[in-house]
Amino acid sequence: MENNIPERNYNTISPSAGALLAMKALTDIPFAREAAMLAGSQAADIDAASHRNPAFWARVVHFENRYHSINQLLTGIQAANILELSSGFSFRGLATTQQQAVHYIDTDLPELIAAKISFLQSLSASLPPAAGMLETLPLNALDAPAFTATTGRFRPGQLAILNEGLLMYLSIPEKEQLCRIIRETLLRHGGYWITADCYLKHSTAGNPVLQADQELNSFFLQHNIQENMFDSFDAAAGFFRRNGFEIDGEAQPDYTRLTAYNHLLKNSSPEQLSALRKRGKIQATWRLKPIPS
């Protein structure tokens, strides 16, 4: 297959992983707090009581829910092999292989993976022997030959491909290229694609509870985040259908189980909570199944 990797410096995306880790450190996401402490994170104090901004807690709730939404859809399938794309400083692979006899390959761009491996060595030092096998490897998800080589490391068995926080960095042609790569891979191996990246274009204008800070807004503009989101969930479903996928399941959020939810309630006025609710749903996590040719 022709490999048309766009000429882009994807490493400019990687710094967002550190900021996201600092927020996840305030939740019960496995190993997030420990990894943030290892990183000596200065992006956020790892002390929930020091954060009073409802917009901050709304973001933490969102990212905590997004993490758990992927796990929810994983429980509905029997995957012997798991490939996570653009994983950042998420340690789902470490948590999963501690409990399950699966082969998990955790991937991201080379510079981030080099830092992540050092974290993993420290995090796993005091853990019991794992039930499964974890590999942490560099991978540009749009590099078809590298993708095939990486998935070729799996033994026969159903494959689950995961991602949270990738598609909004990709243009439509790049999304289509990723769909082709993932579809061909799943048709060979069998299995599903679970993506938490079904985001809708939305505006926070006039709503101070939802507005991002200046640094975050600059990052969004640099990477065309809003433009890369979908116009509607119907448009997102249509995009995946045109690219050979059907929706097999959708995660159902339960915000009351999230550790950040009580902090959001405690630090928000009734008016601010009402503004958050009026925003409506802007993200979904879907389990996709390739449509046979």
Side-chain angles (χ1 to χ4, degrees), residues 38-54:
L38 286 171
S41 176
Q42 298 178 1
D45 188 342
I46 309 177
D47 176 10
S50 69
H51 296 283
R52 302 293 185 187
N53 187 340

Side-chain angles (χ1 to χ4, degrees), residues 26-29 57-69 253-265:
L26 299 168
T27 74
D28 68 352
I29 292 175
W57 283 114
R59 289 195 292 274
V60 179
V61 165
H62 169 75
F63 290 120
E64 185 180 5
N65 175 69
R66 192 178 75 175
Y67 177 92
H68 289 299
S69 70
D254 178 5
Y255 294 106
T256 62
R257 73 168 297 281
L258 303 178
T259 54
Y261 186 68
N262 284 335
H263 293 292
L264 174 61
L265 295 180

Side-chain angles (χ1 to χ4, degrees), residues 5 8-9 60 93 109 123 139 151 177 179 182 188 210 282:
I5 303 173
R8 282 181 59 189
N9 179 13
V60 179
L109 297 174
L123 292 171
L139 176 66
T151 54
Q177 182 172 344
C179 285
I182 291 178
R188 287 196 303 270
L210 301 175
I282 61 166

Side-chain angles (χ1 to χ4, degrees), residues 151-197:
T151 54
R153 302 172 72 91
F154 290 122
R155 293 182 179 180
Q158 186 166 255
L159 170 63
I161 297 176
L162 320 176
N163 71 275
E164 60 167 319
L166 172 60
L167 296 187
M168 70 283 294
Y169 295 111
L170 304 181
S171 65
I172 291 295
E174 290 170 329
K175 287 185 182 70
E176 291 171 341
Q177 182 172 344
L178 181 64
C179 285
R180 287 193 296 272
I181 293 170
I182 291 178
R183 183 172 180 272
E184 291 177 5
T185 299
L186 291 177
L187 288 176
R188 287 196 303 270
H189 291 261
Y192 301 86
W193 176 16
I194 300 175
T195 176
D197 292 353

Side-chain angles (χ1 to χ4, degrees), residues 94-150:
L94 181 60
T96 301
T97 53
Q98 278 293 304
Q99 303 294 328
Q100 300 177 37
V102 298
H103 184 180
Y104 198 113
I105 300 181
D106 188 350
T107 70
D108 208 311
L109 297 174
E111 290 182 10
L112 192 146
I113 285 296
K116 188 170 188 176
I117 288 174
S118 69
F119 286 2
L120 281 166
Q121 291 170 343
S122 297
L123 292 171
S124 59
S126 60
L127 296 177
M133 179 172 68
L134 173 64
E135 293 187 274
T136 306
L137 303 173
L139 176 66
N140 179 340
L142 297 181
D143 184 336
F147 201 107
T148 299
T150 299

